[in-house]
Amino acid sequence: MNSIISDFKYEETLDTDLASKSIILLGRVKDQQAIVTLEKVAFSLDGAKDISALGLLEIEEQDHNDVYFKGVGTMAQNLDRPATKINIIYPATETHIKKYRQQKKRVVLETPELYQKIVLPYISSMRGDRIKWVYNILHEGYEADRVLLRDDDPVNGFVLLPDLKWDLVSLSSLYFVAIVMRNDIASLRDLNSSHIPYLTLLREQILIAIKDKYGLDRSQLLLYIHYQPSYYHFHIHVTHIDLERRGSSFSILLDNVIDQLQFLGPEGFLQSTFSYFIKENHDLWAKGFALEK
Ligand code: G7M
């Protein structure tokens, strides 16, 4: 990672997210494109008795009106108390760059027919090598030191591990992802009533594992699925309720998925119509929904 950052030649800013205080940069390392994301680490006083744990150093008051004070401060930082999280994609493909570039969004209405015509071919093109990182976690021992729970059963098995987005420190921004072993579920559309016992078991195992390790109750956790996801291999997001949901236009809570499947029967979500938004440069918009009008 060090050598990638030191060789990184900045070209442009793809996006900035003021709310989560992050910036996404596009540049080159040697002759290949790279995307670097820098995100300020969340404040955390987990378990500490006083605010010295925050590491505030110098403080300067800038303004003051009645009971309202405003100022700036510096904070101690080192690798145990880092100021930023860094994610790099290198080499980055055009699909990665599209995904991270700030774009106008469009609302789409995905009927069962448009799913078959536009979305299913797109999903097929997004399997294989693009989800290599998933197979690395499932079968090649990647990120093994962080795995909270692993069950290798080819049907019911899964790996529960911290999502890339979690800083691994702050409990209130806890973010896990449960990636399943089976590869016959590409998205929400592939779920039907036969999956109810499977999903119910998955939910219980995830909740118990998080409770045992972090003491968080099911009422403090959000378990949900994205549609469209970025990666078409079934996975469940597990976050602390305090964490603002980001990234995807449409997410559905696992509890609601399980409940709806009881009514949807063996056809499952294949007959549903979904409304969600996607970026204008997303292939599903540019090469799909935009041409339907
Ligand atoms: O939007 P979608 O449902 O496809 O979300 C995929 C999730 O996987 C996101 O929350 C990503 O942050 C997470 N993720 C992506 N990659 C490439 C990795 C990775 O290499 N390791 C881990 N632990 N999480 C990842």
Side-chain angles (χ1 to χ4, degrees):
M1 188 184 239
N2 247 334
S3 63
I4 301 179
I5 291 286
S6 52
D7 288 347
F8 182 75
K9 302 266 180 306
Y10 169 82
E11 283 176 356
E12 65 173 297
T13 299
L14 293 179
D15 200 0
T16 50
D17 181 345
L18 296 177
S20 68
K21 308 217 169 19
S22 63
I23 185 162
I24 306 179
L25 312 171
L26 175 65
R28 277 184 181 272
V29 176
K30 303 190 182 95
D31 271 341
Q32 289 178 301
Q33 285 179 304
I35 298 171
V36 174
T37 304
L38 298 172
E39 182 178 351
K40 295 255 170 119
V41 169
F43 290 105
S44 173
L45 268 173
D46 285 343
K49 299 233 169 6
D50 61 75
I51 67 157
S52 65
L54 287 178
L56 277 173
L57 291 177
E58 300 162 273
I59 294 175
E60 184 184 86
E61 184 183 323
Q62 292 176 321
D63 202 0
H64 156 211
N65 177 353
D66 189 31
V67 294
Y68 304 100
F69 296 81
K70 200 170 101 180
V72 287
T74 62
M75 296 185 70
Q77 50 175 287
N78 52 47
L79 288 180
D80 291 326
R81 195 204 318 246
T84 181
K85 278 192 305 158
I86 306 174
N87 288 331
I88 303 176
I89 301 178
Y90 170 71
T93 62
E94 283 309 313
T95 309
H96 289 125
I97 297 169
K98 267 188 201 168
K99 178 179 166 194
Y100 287 93
R101 192 186 292 282
Q102 190 178 36
Q103 278 284 306
K104 288 204 165 55
K105 299 186 183 84
R106 298 286 191 143
V107 178
V108 299
L109 195 64
E110 184 187 307
T111 59
E113 295 72 36
L114 288 177
Y115 168 69
Q116 297 293 341
K117 186 175 167 195
I118 296 172
V119 181
L120 195 52
Y122 171 76
I123 291 179
S124 310
S125 75
M126 295 298 284
R127 304 267 280 175
D129 247 18
R130 291 178 197 278
I131 45 176
K132 191 157 181 275
W133 70 272
V134 167
Y135 296 124
N136 284 341
I137 288 170
L138 293 179
H139 309 299
E140 305 294 336
Y142 278 54
E143 305 188 36
D145 52 329
R146 270 161 280 156
V147 167
L148 180 58
L149 187 59
R150 179 179 186 98
D151 174 348
D152 283 307
D153 185 87
V155 181
N156 288 317
F158 65 96
V159 175
L160 178 63
L161 81 168
D163 191 282
L164 263 191
K165 296 195 199 92
W166 192 30
D167 60 14
L168 303 177
V169 179
S170 157
L171 204 59
S172 58
S173 56
L174 176 137
Y175 199 147
F176 272 79
V177 60
I179 306 175
V180 305
M181 287 289 168
R182 59 197 289 172
N183 57 15
D184 58 341
I185 307 171
S187 81
L188 186 64
R189 285 277 187 196
D190 292 331
L191 294 175
N192 59 54
S193 54
S194 76
H195 295 111
I196 293 175
Y198 165 69
L199 294 172
T200 308
L201 183 67
L202 209 52
R203 177 177 62 186
E204 290 322 300
Q205 288 171 289
I206 294 170
L207 289 172
I208 291 169
I210 301 276
K211 171 92 182 170
D212 285 353
K213 173 82 182 186
Y214 299 98
L216 293 171
D217 203 62
R218 65 186 302 147
S219 63
Q220 296 171 288
L221 294 167
L222 288 170
L223 273 59
Y224 61 90
I225 296 160
H226 278 158
Y227 193 79
Q228 300 289 333
S230 318
Y231 305 101
Y232 292 92
H233 177 105
F234 190 55
H235 54 275
I236 297 166
H237 298 253
V238 184
T239 72
H240 192 287
I241 181 79
D242 286 351
L243 192 72
E244 191 193 347
R245 279 197 260 162
R246 291 175 287 179
S248 171
S249 65
F250 170 49
S251 51
I252 176 163
L253 294 176
L254 181 61
D255 290 333
N256 296 336
V257 170
I258 294 173
D259 180 65
Q260 285 186 31
L261 286 175
Q262 302 186 39
F263 305 100
L264 294 171
E267 277 286 288
F269 286 101
L270 280 179
Q271 290 310 315
S272 303
T273 292
F274 295 130
S275 181
Y276 54 90
F277 58 82
I278 46 177
K279 290 180 176 176
E280 276 186 351
N281 67 350
H282 193 296
D283 278 351
L284 274 181
W285 174 258
K287 297 183 187 162
F289 289 100
L291 311 177
E292 285 301 308
K293 288 185 293 161

